[in-house]
Amino acid sequence: MSTTVAPASMLPDAPVAGMLANAIRMLSIDAIVRAGEGHQGVPLGMAEIATALYTRHLKFDAADPTWPDRDRVVLSNGHGSMLLYALLHLTGHARMGIDQVSTFRDFGSRCEGHPERDLASGIEVTTGPLGQGIANAFGMAVAEAHLNARFGPGLVDHRTYAFVGDGCLQEGIGQEMIALAGHLRLGKLTLLWDDNRITDDGSTDLSISEDVADRFRVAGWHVQELDGHDLEAVSDALEQAHADPRPSLLACRTVIAKGVVRLQGQRGGHSGKLFAEDAAAARQALGWNHPPFALPAEVRDAWLAAGARHRSDRQAWQARVAALPAAQRAEFERVLAGELPLGWQDVLANYQRSALAREPLASGIFISAEIHDALTELMPERLVACADLEAPTNHKRRLQAFTAQDRAGTYVHCGVREHVMGAMANGIAAHGGAVPLAVTYLAFADYERPAMRMAALMGLPVHFVFSHDSIGIGRNGPTHQPVEILASLRAMPNMLVLRPADAVEAAECWAIALAHRTGPSTLVFARQALPHVRTAAAAENLSRRGAYVLADAEGGPRRVTLLATGSEVALALAARNLLQAAGIPTAVVSMPSWELFAEQDAAYRSQVLGPGTVRVGCEAAMRFGWDRWLGDRGGFVGMRGFGASGPADVLYRHFGITPEAIVAEAQRLLATAPQPAHGPA
Amino acid sequence: MSTTVAPASMLPDAPVAGMLANAIRMLSIDAIVRAGEGHQGVPLGMAEIATALYTRHLKFDAADPTWPDRDRVVLSNGHGSMLLYALLHLTGHARMGIDQVSTFRDFGSRCEGHPERDLASGIEVTTGPLGQGIANAFGMAVAEAHLNARFGPGLVDHRTYAFVGDGCLQEGIGQEMIALAGHLRLGKLTLLWDDNRITDDGSTDLSISEDVADRFRVAGWHVQELDGHDLEAVSDALEQAHADPRPSLLACRTVIAKGVVRLQGQRGGHSGKLFAEDAAAARQALGWNHPPFALPAEVRDAWLAAGARHRSDRQAWQARVAALPAAQRAEFERVLAGELPLGWQDVLANYQRSALAREPLASGIFISAEIHDALTELMPERLVACADLEAPTNHKRRLQAFTAQDRAGTYVHCGVREHVMGAMANGIAAHGGAVPLAVTYLAFADYERPAMRMAALMGLPVHFVFSHDSIGIGRNGPTHQPVEILASLRAMPNMLVLRPADAVEAAECWAIALAHRTGPSTLVFARQALPHVRTAAAAENLSRRGAYVLADAEGGPRRVTLLATGSEVALALAARNLLQAAGIPTAVVSMPSWELFAEQDAAYRSQVLGPGTVRVGCEAAMRFGWDRWLGDRGGFVGMRGFGASGPADVLYRHFGITPEAIVAEAQRLLATAPQPAHGPA
């Protein structure tokens, strides 16, 4: 669906266009001088580029920043946040009034040091850690291409742009994005590169010799090199970019901090402190005779017109949505809202029953794959990405690949590129309309961890799925054996970590994750087969409280509480049998999610943990973090360092993670613990 | 110093050379069939490449695998570990006898699933997580270039080779390495790319379209494309590579799993299970009529000759070292052994005294920079790398840049490439002769975390230095504010984490880190100024025990213990003053290193933690992990989630990290705690 635009007569002529760019500059300078800090390099260097994009090409309506078919813009060089704030303010975004811009970097201002995702204000994603933004933009373009194929161009047809600096392109994640976006030929993705030849350390000559434009060309991008201060050239290049089926790079040669006479084109242009004298000199250099934060009427009006240029497009789109057949409209609105389809819980309940009946036992990751097989028809909005581990992680099975030729596919072969996979998933979630899963081995979680942190910070509903979750992977050895990674993910705010013990818990954990919309979830599965620790499909989702008594003590008041997660729950159950046989009433607590358990009320937590009982935790991982649940006199059976190369069963014995070791630890603690009033049996 | 080689008459002729390659193949097949698993793709596909390298070019002596001037070889595609094991075995490495190869992947075998660093056996670095190995190799080449400039080619003149697969080159870290190694023109670095067009998922067409060779050319590499099964072509290309001043890529077109008739050239060639029938078919196809693990004499002898080819070179090198002037020899041997110079502790002690006398207070990271300024003359072996944050992290000051033109420099401008920086530092440490520091913001630790994990796993003495360690960074906002990263690093086995509170502790922590040789250290510094919490230069390094009583309770038995790290120690001291003024005897414990404290005996730990006292921890970070020290009834003042954008002091108040909040938490706990026998004052 091609976009209707305002007639040319409404567009500003060249002198006014120059003033529009300078409006960005002076707003930025005034805000940075007032704040006493900030990064002027980007907003001053990219002012014409941004003006060309926002006044002539970008499909958006400032009156409705969340219009689903808007073009997406990512400020990947997020330190240049004033560029984005100036644009949102100038185009008339209601939540970005002058009260916000004039309090840039104050606590409580929406104009924060770096942009923080706030759709209502027009901020698509949080940026700052370099490279994440362009990879998010890539994910948005993937989402758009897929939704365009699924729902048609009448409903989904928009572009994705990213402002990008040298840093984003030096980062490995940026390089991964260049390769994969070129491979997938995402023609509606356009990068606007601020080629200013300066980074924080000084000249880019210090750290890069390659021709960046050529690097994009090698990856199959459409590349144009131009003067980033020539607004007409930028505008023409955007038209060329739109006409080309490849993703496009506009390599825009710019002068960093252009307009600040003292610093422009120099290292200090990046973020050297600006003073009132710099603002005064800039006013003179730019011919800008207006007080701080004030705009001449023609500039204000022209910018507001840009913000309203596509209002009729939005209204036409809304009319098309309203005119859809009811079922189609409901489905479209459901996926845009991120709502789950009717019947999804039945699918999971059915899966539990079938899994319980099945022989032989399945591996943890295969259980997860089967659950997704079962959801295939009901949840076509899932986009599954995997970093070259299709066979061992098994989540493709019923899906077609998303390729340059087939946008209807829902499985993205990412190559061995975990970092862009994670950030792409973030971009898909930020875009909306699709539910991303990113799948790899848990040992490689670190490779995508910076993206996982961004998902947590933004509160994006991304599912990070991991297999091969412990020494249970066996002979590939310690590089591939996570021992500290569960702890490192549990330490992350707003990250929901789920490690199910068997098929029933896996279905419960997926139910929790799919319904979790305020942040990412991490789902951790064993490579090895998981015996059933739950022997019946549950009416109630027991995992929802994070931890629960799986097997209670028998023959007297509970004296020992064994706490375990994932594949170690079965070991705890075996240890319980031994302890019960020795006359020691023992309960087993399964703890699929610490975060959910921490949210329960104190009474429930106390009941589960068994106050006054001897507690032993068991997890094939480091103890770090467990003391919260084990208490002052708790014991732990797990790893004390990195793993080793050997068969899984040998390793479990070698590292002393066995029912017998759990029993020994419990008995050691019983021998030294204060005796309960009722005394031992 | 050019290398003398064995006369041509000693080299095997072409038919024997082919058998040498097939010896690698059959050893690998037999070992993998016996183990029941393994990755045959690499050793079978790269057999001729490896044979050309090891029999005709590689400078090594199997009788002395740790000879410092040996060429370095990294198997970056570490899953193909049998290639390396076969080479080490065939060339006569004593610790890689047939007993090891024939127990490949058994628990306890030196032939582990992936290569694990073991210099005595000839394994330079642990590999497996893709991309790490080539970045290590890059670091080795940096170390060699620097040491060559420092000590001259008579002592240091060797090459670095890496076997590499598609995955390593798809990973962002690999892309960062390509760019930076090209920029630095490390001409003695050669990559041997196994261009087999197959990854785990199948054809590389699934995930990559770019011409990989061109991508290297763009980055300034010398690139040759050749048939990887043509041993002569490989050998010739290696000669060309040696003659070129740029780093070299040999793009070797290969057939994955060549020799296994059923799988060669196919997806299953990567790691599909091999059976006895495959071994039999391979024997037939390769014309190899020898039992498993057996070698014909001429093959065995030719390989052993390759392992001894440079014995006289090694002996000549040893003679040159022995003939050095005593002081020069002592310095060379000191840095190779990783020993600290005489007087280093005096430098740190002097620094403490001068820092205590100085006004105004310095920021945490500036203190670290000053310490290294003071070490400049004494420890020229430090190689400092930084990811485009020279000015805010300050560790360049007295150093010259290491560049393509100046190898004597000791500061590597890495660009915005944290991941390769960390892995490069690992490679420098693995090489020996230099002490690497990798410097960036703590918020970006996640970008190099996979490399940090490898340093911990390998036990390499790398110093990971971080500034901007908390919300104290202020208005750059939550993307740049670590809250969970300390916990995630403390969770990592064999990672020594140090967070000093002031200048005296910073000098102590650096003393600990510099002397720590069995693993990496992480040093974490505040951006903000650190007031002196230690008011005298100490005769004893108090930080060495990890935690210590900085200020004891007064006026009675201790009732409250405040535990804090880094910039929050000063807050704890202020809170102590308030509590003491309220008649509550309160001690402050500074905890610069949890790992060191955990190593102390129980009596010391108990004395420091104050059994029976109310304990409150304070750290501008998440509580995760703190419960170990706080106990069942402990309190905590810190972060509960991500940070925010605002001035540091506003944020500390906003998040309630203040002396008053510590006091309130202590008083809340005192009100509910069991009263000690002596009762309150």
Side-chain angles (χ1 to χ4, degrees), chain A residues 343-678:
Chain A
W344 70 281
Q345 286 166 309
D346 297 336
V347 170
L348 295 178
N350 288 339
Y351 174 75
Q352 290 186 357
R353 280 185 287 273
S354 69
L356 285 169
R358 199 221 5 244
E359 293 286 347
L361 296 168
S363 77
I365 190 61
F366 192 76
I367 289 167
S368 174
E370 285 187 322
I371 289 169
H372 281 276
D373 288 352
L375 289 166
T376 304
E377 284 79 16
L378 205 60
M379 289 189 64
E381 67 268 31
R382 291 166 307 126
L383 286 181
V384 181
C386 184
D388 197 47
L389 290 170
E390 179 202 327
T393 62
N394 252 308
H395 277 62
K396 185 174 180 188
R397 293 161 36 102
R398 299 189 58 200
L399 308 181
Q400 294 300 313
F402 173 92
T403 68
Q405 293 75 39
D406 182 5
R407 304 305 199 191
T410 54
Y411 186 92
V412 184
H413 287 279
C414 291
V416 190
R417 304 183 185 100
E418 296 83 4
H419 202 173
V420 75
M421 174 178 73
M424 175 189 79
N426 291 352
I428 291 169
H431 180 280
V435 173
L437 281 70
V439 187
T440 186
Y441 290 172
L442 184 58
F444 306 148
D446 285 351
Y447 275 72
E448 60 175 331
R449 183 175 171 91
M452 297 177 77
R453 182 178 203 255
M454 294 304 290
L457 180 54
M458 286 191 259
L460 293 174
V462 177
H463 304 298
F464 296 100
V465 181
F466 299 103
S467 71
H468 293 56
D469 72 348
S470 76
I471 56 167
I473 68 132
R475 308 205 278 187
N476 273 327
T479 55
H480 286 50
Q481 290 164 353
V483 295
E484 79 288 20
I485 296 180
L486 274 169
S488 74
L489 293 171
R490 288 169 178 154
M492 188 180 284
N494 202 34
M495 178 60 77
L496 176 62
V497 181
L498 299 149
R499 186 177 189 237
D502 72 355
V504 171
E505 271 197 12
E508 290 180 345
C509 287
W510 264 118
I512 293 163
L514 290 171
H516 183 62
R517 299 288 306 163
T518 57
S521 56
T522 289
L523 296 109
V524 174
F525 296 97
R527 176 198 191 192
Q528 65 270 35
L530 291 178
H532 298 306
V533 301
R534 295 268 294 279
T535 50
E540 184 193 357
N541 185 330
L542 297 178
S543 300
R544 202 176 295 283
R545 302 191 83 167
Y548 62 93
V549 177
L550 172 65
D552 214 341
E554 293 175 3
R558 191 203 302 184
R559 292 186 59 209
V560 172
T561 305
L562 305 178
L563 303 103
T565 79
S567 48
E568 285 70 68
V569 174
L571 302 183
L573 285 174
R576 174 181 172 275
N577 287 345
L578 296 172
L579 287 162
Q580 285 282 159
I584 302 168
T586 300
V588 170
V589 171
S590 181
M591 301 192 76
S593 172
W594 291 14
E595 297 80 19
L596 294 178
F597 186 55
E599 289 174 2
Q600 306 305 311
D601 60 56
Y604 178 78
R605 279 186 283 145
S606 176
Q607 172 217 319
V608 169
L609 294 175
T613 65
V614 156
R615 271 177 245 154
V616 179
C618 181
E619 189 167 67
M622 301 294 283
R623 180 173 178 147
F624 196 87
W626 268 96
D627 290 276
R628 176 171 184 186
W629 313 120
L630 301 177
D632 283 344
R633 289 185 306 278
F636 184 70
V637 170
M639 298 295 290
R640 291 188 172 82
F642 289 108
S645 175
D649 56 339
V650 173
L651 294 181
Y652 269 88
R653 286 198 302 276
H654 172 72
F655 290 111
I657 306 175
T658 62
E660 293 72 22
I662 298 170
V663 168
E665 182 74 350
Q667 287 178 326
R668 183 182 71 79
L669 294 167
L670 283 168
T672 58
Q675 296 300 313
H678 52 82

Side-chain angles (χ1 to χ4, degrees), chain A residues 34-37 39 104-108 111-114 116 126-132 166-167 170-173 175-176 178-180 182-183 199-202 204-211 214-215 218-219 267 386-392 411 413-419 443-444 446-447 449-450 453-454 456-457 475-485 487-488 490-494 527 594 622 624-625 627-628 630-633 640-642 644-647 650-651 654, chain B residues 34-37 39 104-108 111-114 116 126-132 167 170-173 175-176 178-180 182-183 199-202 204-211 214-215 218-219 267 386-392 411 413-419 443-444 446-447 449-450 453-454 456-457 475-485 487-488 490-494 527 594 622 624-625 627-628 630-633 640-642 644-647 650-651 654:
Chain A
R34 194 210 63 84
E37 62 181 35
H39 294 78
F104 172 58
R105 284 186 161 243
D106 284 1
F107 182 70
C111 294
E112 306 187 55
H114 287 79
E116 307 292 338
T126 299
T127 49
L130 295 177
Q132 299 293 329
D166 296 294
Q170 292 185 3
E171 289 284 6
I173 182 176
Q175 291 287 317
E176 292 180 4
I178 293 168
L180 195 52
H183 171 70
T199 71
D200 202 83
D201 274 9
T204 50
D205 292 344
L206 287 169
S207 58
I208 190 163
S209 302
E210 73 197 43
D211 185 316
D214 276 347
R215 196 276 170 266
V218 166
R267 181 181 183 186
C386 184
D388 197 47
L389 290 170
E390 179 202 327
Y411 186 92
H413 287 279
C414 291
V416 190
R417 304 183 185 100
E418 296 83 4
H419 202 173
F444 306 148
D446 285 351
Y447 275 72
R449 183 175 171 91
R453 182 178 203 255
M454 294 304 290
L457 180 54
R475 308 205 278 187
N476 273 327
T479 55
H480 286 50
Q481 290 164 353
V483 295
E484 79 288 20
I485 296 180
S488 74
R490 288 169 178 154
M492 188 180 284
N494 202 34
R527 176 198 191 192
W594 291 14
M622 301 294 283
F624 196 87
D627 290 276
R628 176 171 184 186
L630 301 177
D632 283 344
R633 289 185 306 278
R640 291 188 172 82
F642 289 108
S645 175
V650 173
L651 294 181
H654 172 72
Chain B
R34 193 211 62 85
E37 61 181 36
H39 293 78
F104 173 56
R105 283 186 163 243
D106 283 2
F107 181 71
C111 295
E112 305 188 55
H114 287 79
E116 308 291 339
T126 299
T127 50
L130 295 176
Q132 299 293 329
Q170 292 185 4
E171 289 284 6
I173 182 176
Q175 291 287 316
E176 293 180 4
I178 295 168
L180 194 53
H183 171 70
T199 70
D200 201 83
D201 275 9
T204 51
D205 292 344
L206 287 169
S207 58
I208 190 164
S209 302
E210 74 197 44
D211 184 317
D214 277 348
R215 195 277 169 265
V218 166
R267 181 181 184 186
C386 184
D388 197 47
L389 291 170
E390 178 202 328
Y411 186 92
H413 288 278
C414 291
V416 190
R417 304 183 186 99
E418 295 84 3
H419 202 172
F444 306 148
D446 284 351
Y447 274 73
R449 184 175 171 90
R453 183 179 202 257
M454 294 304 291
L457 179 54
R475 309 206 279 189
N476 273 328
T479 53
H480 285 50
Q481 290 163 353
V483 295
E484 79 288 20
I485 296 180
S488 74
R490 288 169 178 153
M492 189 180 283
N494 202 33
R527 176 200 191 191
W594 290 14
M622 301 294 283
F624 195 88
D627 290 278
R628 175 170 185 187
L630 301 178
D632 284 343
R633 290 185 306 278
R640 290 189 173 80
F642 290 109
S645 175
V650 173
L651 294 181
H654 172 72

Side-chain angles (χ1 to χ4, degrees), chain A residues 30-48:
Chain A
D30 289 335
I32 290 168
V33 168
R34 194 210 63 84
E37 62 181 35
H39 294 78
Q40 61 273 6
V42 175
L44 276 56
M46 301 193 84
E48 282 82 13

Side-chain angles (χ1 to χ4, degrees), chain B residues 323-562:
Chain B
L324 287 174
Q328 193 179 338
R329 177 176 172 178
E331 176 67 1
F332 184 57
E333 292 183 338
R334 179 186 74 77
V335 301
L336 286 185
E339 287 167 5
L340 291 164
L342 285 175
W344 70 282
Q345 286 167 309
D346 298 336
V347 170
L348 294 177
N350 289 339
Y351 175 75
Q352 290 186 358
R353 281 184 286 274
S354 68
L356 285 169
R358 200 226 359 248
E359 294 285 345
L361 295 168
S363 77
I365 189 62
F366 192 76
I367 289 167
S368 175
E370 285 188 321
I371 289 168
H372 281 276
D373 288 351
L375 289 166
T376 304
E377 284 78 17
L378 206 60
M379 288 189 65
E381 68 267 32
R382 291 165 309 126
L383 285 181
V384 181
C386 184
D388 197 47
L389 291 170
E390 178 202 328
T393 61
N394 252 308
H395 277 63
K396 186 174 179 185
R397 292 157 42 100
R398 299 188 58 199
L399 307 181
Q400 295 300 311
F402 173 91
T403 68
Q405 293 75 40
D406 181 6
R407 304 306 200 192
T410 55
Y411 186 92
V412 185
H413 288 278
C414 291
V416 190
R417 304 183 186 99
E418 295 84 3
H419 202 172
V420 76
M421 174 178 73
M424 175 188 80
N426 292 353
I428 291 169
H431 180 280
V435 173
L437 281 70
V439 187
T440 186
Y441 290 172
L442 185 57
F444 306 148
D446 284 351
Y447 274 73
E448 60 176 330
R449 184 175 171 90
M452 297 177 76
R453 183 179 202 257
M454 294 304 291
L457 179 54
M458 284 190 261
L460 294 174
V462 177
H463 305 299
F464 296 100
V465 181
F466 298 103
S467 71
H468 291 58
D469 73 349
S470 76
I471 56 167
I473 67 131
R475 309 206 279 189
N476 273 328
T479 53
H480 285 50
Q481 290 163 353
V483 295
E484 79 288 20
I485 296 180
L486 275 169
S488 74
L489 293 172
R490 288 169 178 153
M492 189 180 283
N494 202 33
M495 177 60 76
L496 175 63
V497 181
L498 299 149
R499 187 178 187 234
D502 71 356
V504 170
E505 272 197 12
E508 290 180 344
C509 288
W510 264 118
I512 293 163
L514 290 171
H516 183 62
R517 299 288 305 163
T518 57
S521 56
T522 289
L523 296 108
V524 174
F525 296 97
R527 176 200 191 191
Q528 65 270 33
L530 291 178
H532 298 307
V533 300
R534 295 269 293 280
T535 51
E540 183 193 357
N541 186 329
L542 298 179
S543 299
R544 202 177 295 282
R545 302 191 83 168
Y548 61 93
V549 177
L550 171 66
D552 213 341
E554 295 174 1
R558 191 203 303 184
R559 292 187 58 210
V560 172
T561 306
L562 305 178

Side-chain angles (χ1 to χ4, degrees), chain B residues 11-312:
Chain B
L11 293 177
D13 60 14
V16 175
M19 287 183 71
L20 300 194
N22 285 338
I24 295 172
R25 288 202 170 89
M26 285 313 310
L27 267 182
S28 300
I29 292 170
D30 289 335
I32 290 168
V33 168
R34 193 211 62 85
E37 61 181 36
H39 293 78
Q40 61 273 6
V42 175
L44 275 56
M46 302 192 83
E48 283 82 13
I49 300 166
T51 302
L53 176 65
Y54 273 70
T55 63
R56 303 195 186 178
H57 299 277
L58 192 71
K59 184 171 82 168
F60 73 109
D61 181 354
D64 184 1
T66 65
W67 171 27
D69 202 33
R70 71 192 177 278
D71 287 346
R72 304 300 198 269
V73 177
V74 173
L75 185 79
S76 194
N77 42 2
H79 52 278
S81 53
M82 263 312 302
L83 177 64
L84 184 58
Y85 303 144
L87 289 163
L88 295 172
H89 169 70
L90 290 167
T91 51
H93 286 72
R95 285 166 54 88
M96 281 293 185
I98 199 68
D99 57 322
Q100 302 298 323
V101 175
S102 65
T103 54
F104 173 56
R105 283 186 163 243
D106 283 2
F107 181 71
S109 174
R110 292 196 187 105
C111 295
E112 305 188 55
H114 287 79
E116 308 291 339
R117 175 171 161 87
D118 175 4
L119 288 189
S121 301
I123 302 174
E124 301 283 357
V125 283
T126 299
T127 50
L130 295 176
Q132 299 293 329
I134 48 174
N136 296 162
F138 162 61
M140 292 173 178
V142 168
E144 194 276 344
H146 174 68
L147 293 170
N148 174 279
R150 184 173 172 208
F151 291 105
L155 298 183
V156 181
D157 185 11
H158 53 267
R159 300 185 175 278
T160 305
Y161 301 91
F163 296 102
V164 54
D166 296 295
C168 292
L169 303 180
Q170 292 185 4
E171 289 284 6
I173 182 176
Q175 291 287 316
E176 293 180 4
M177 189 284 294
I178 295 168
L180 194 53
H183 171 70
L184 291 173
R185 286 177 75 86
L186 290 160
K188 290 184 185 168
L189 174 64
T190 302
L191 299 193
L192 304 159
W193 173 35
D194 185 19
D195 179 16
N196 59 27
R197 316 266 163 110
I198 296 284
T199 70
D200 201 83
D201 275 9
S203 167
T204 51
D205 292 344
L206 287 169
S207 58
I208 190 164
S209 302
E210 74 197 44
D211 184 317
V212 171
D214 277 348
R215 195 277 169 265
F216 275 87
R217 287 189 187 97
V218 166
W221 286 59
H222 170 230
V223 177
Q224 299 171 80
E225 299 178 80
L226 59 144
D227 176 357
H229 299 300
D230 182 339
L231 198 146
E232 298 299 331
V234 174
S235 187
D236 291 349
L238 284 168
E239 285 196 13
Q240 298 294 323
H242 297 169
D244 198 283
R246 297 166 293 178
S248 278
L249 173 74
L250 270 58
C252 305
R253 188 71 182 87
T254 61
V255 175
I256 194 169
K258 184 176 168 71
V260 173
V261 184
R262 183 174 58 88
L263 298 174
Q264 63 190 10
Q266 300 169 55
R267 181 181 184 186
H270 178 74
S271 57
K273 189 170 169 67
L274 295 191
F275 302 92
E277 302 76 51
D278 293 309
R283 282 190 155 70
Q284 189 162 24
L286 301 174
W288 187 268
N289 302 311
H290 315 286
F293 305 112
L295 297 169
E298 75 268 29
V299 169
R300 187 191 60 213
D301 293 346
W303 269 116
L304 290 175
R309 254 175 100 229
H310 291 275
R311 192 149 298 157
S312 60

